[in-house]
Amino acid sequence: MKSPRYIIALIALAISALMFSNACSNNVKDAAPVEFPAVKVPAYINDNALAASYMVENYWNGFFKIENPSKEPSSAVHGVDSVSFENAFGMYAQLLAMTDRGKGEKSLRKLFGNLDTLALKGERKPLLRVMSLMEHYFYNPISPVLDEEIYLAALNCIMASASLSDLDKMQYDYQHRICSMNRVGTPAADFTFRELLASGNFRERNLYNIKGEYTLLFFNNPDCSSCVEILRTIKDSPLEELVGKGELQVLAMYIDEDLEAWKRNREKYSKGWIYAYDPQLVLRDNGIYGLRAIPSLYLLDKEKRVLLKDAPVEKVIAYLMRR
């Protein structure tokens, strides 16, 4: 078994991939840079899962100078170098993704509770930095650790923050509504679509009359390069075999208005897929699906419960291959 130190080293190496922009950087000019106070895993913990859980639980103690967890933080560490802070947050993001969801949410409540306390005392900057980084890592569609469930837990904390005004919370209230749509484990919202048949005619259907053990919703656009990459990946994967057996139904769903361009692209898609468009444009308007970027993949089970939401294609393939 790899040691906790090995796991931590791997996470640190992954930070470079996570730092996909320089958002939220604030260079400290009036004080010498201070390294983010790293949490140390006790020597007696030699299990990877326990090590990750311990780190998530205690990750911010040094930053808040918490000597007694039962007491309020006296102050945040001032002058932490912005690069050090963002690298540390990147590691925290990875740990949240590795940790049991309940423990992760408990860590977030503890983090935001301390941040809110500091903000009420006049130290508002740490709260705003963490809010921005949470959005950057867990809500940005191009983030490698995109996870709306984690971000929804963070949003619940943001909306409960006493130090933030209603105006401060306005954009987060909208994001909360988007993240609350079609959550993993809940029934997917039904919608009507028009399917283009081989004859050139159309057939009107709805999501819930698609029969199959699994349904993959592939929201796409004709001229989207990322859509082409996902299309190629799926066609070259074992998923095509599942389509051939009738176990997997793929609904290639166009949500815009240029139907001529959409029709011309039919031949690029597998004949066994359902090739359709949204005649009422309800999907584009985000009334029932919070589609913040195209392409987007949703995997549903036989009862149309959401198994994966806005997931990378590799994650969809891995899920179906180990079922």
Side-chain angles (χ1 to χ4, degrees):
M1 175 180 287
K2 301 283 194 302
S3 71
R5 290 184 179 83
Y6 177 82
I7 298 298
I8 294 168
L10 282 182
I11 295 172
L13 287 174
I15 297 304
S16 59
L18 296 172
M19 300 308 297
F20 51 93
S21 82
N22 293 321
C24 311
S25 295
N26 293 293
N27 294 325
V28 178
K29 299 179 180 180
D30 299 327
V34 177
E35 288 291 318
F36 186 92
V39 59
K40 296 181 180 179
V41 180
Y44 64 83
I45 297 180
N46 57 10
D47 177 83
N48 295 337
L50 290 176
S53 179
Y54 178 90
M55 290 187 70
V56 164
E57 182 180 356
N58 297 282
Y59 200 83
W60 297 93
N61 286 3
F63 182 77
F64 291 113
K65 296 183 179 178
I66 300 174
E67 297 180 359
N68 184 345
S70 65
K71 295 182 178 180
E72 291 184 351
S74 59
S75 178
V77 173
H78 294 282
V80 171
D81 176 72
S82 61
V83 173
S84 174
F85 185 90
E86 291 189 15
N87 285 346
F89 193 93
M91 182 179 287
Y92 180 65
Q94 284 285 78
L95 288 166
L96 282 176
M98 294 167 55
T99 307
D100 172 80
R101 188 54 50 91
K103 292 180 179 179
E105 291 181 0
K106 181 179 178 181
S107 174
L108 287 172
R109 289 193 296 270
K110 177 181 176 182
L111 168 61
F112 276 97
N114 288 331
L115 290 169
D116 198 32
T117 297
L118 292 176
L120 290 170
K121 293 180 177 180
E123 293 187 62
R124 187 177 169 86
K125 184 177 178 181
L127 173 60
L128 299 181
R129 290 178 74 186
V130 168
M131 287 166 57
S132 181
L133 285 167
M134 282 287 177
E135 179 177 0
H136 189 63
Y137 277 90
F138 296 117
Y139 191 63
N140 190 320
I142 66 170
S143 169
V145 290
L146 170 67
D147 191 319
E148 287 192 4
E149 284 298 305
I150 292 177
Y151 192 56
L152 186 59
L155 287 172
N156 288 334
C157 296
I158 291 171
M159 299 306 294
S161 295
S163 63
L164 297 174
S165 67
D166 290 342
L167 184 61
D168 292 329
K169 297 176 182 179
M170 186 176 295
Q171 76 175 84
Y172 297 100
D173 182 60
Y174 172 77
Q175 293 174 354
H176 191 281
R177 182 165 60 84
I178 294 296
C179 290
S180 297
M181 293 179 180
N182 305 294
R183 293 180 64 187
V184 172
T186 67
D190 198 7
F191 57 87
T192 300
F193 59 85
R194 297 192 76 200
E195 177 186 3
L196 178 61
L197 303 175
S199 63
N201 296 323
F202 290 96
R203 174 171 60 168
E204 189 163 297
R205 304 177 64 184
N206 69 302
L207 175 64
Y208 272 68
N209 65 27
I210 296 175
K211 306 302 180 184
E213 290 297 314
Y214 298 95
T215 300
L216 179 61
L217 303 183
F218 176 24
F219 299 103
N220 65 89
N221 276 326
D223 300 321
C224 163
S225 59
S226 296
C227 298
V228 173
E229 288 299 317
I230 288 179
L231 174 61
R232 184 182 300 117
T233 300
I234 295 176
K235 290 173 70 175
D236 292 342
S237 76
L239 298 192
E240 282 294 89
E241 184 179 347
L242 297 182
V243 173
K245 293 178 179 178
E247 296 178 22
L248 173 67
Q249 297 284 349
V250 180
L251 173 57
M253 195 71 211
Y254 177 57
I255 67 171
D256 243 313
E257 297 175 284
D258 189 352
L259 296 186
E260 291 305 313
W262 170 72
K263 288 180 183 178
R264 289 195 300 269
N265 277 266
R266 176 62 181 101
E267 63 183 26
K268 297 179 181 178
Y269 291 76
S270 296
K271 292 182 179 179
W273 294 13
I274 301 169
Y275 194 71
Y277 77 97
D278 173 14
Q280 299 174 342
L281 300 178
V282 296
L283 298 172
R284 187 187 69 177
D285 295 339
N286 281 341
I288 56 174
Y289 279 77
L291 300 176
R292 297 180 291 111
I294 295 294
S296 183
L297 295 171
Y298 283 62
L299 182 64
L300 316 179
D301 68 8
K302 187 175 183 178
E303 284 74 36
K304 301 299 181 288
R305 286 189 297 263
V306 179
L307 299 174
L308 298 174
K309 177 182 178 180
D310 204 10
V313 64
E314 295 81 8
K315 189 173 182 179
V316 172
I317 294 170
Y319 185 98
L320 289 171
M321 289 303 97
R322 68 171 181 263
R323 74 195 196 289

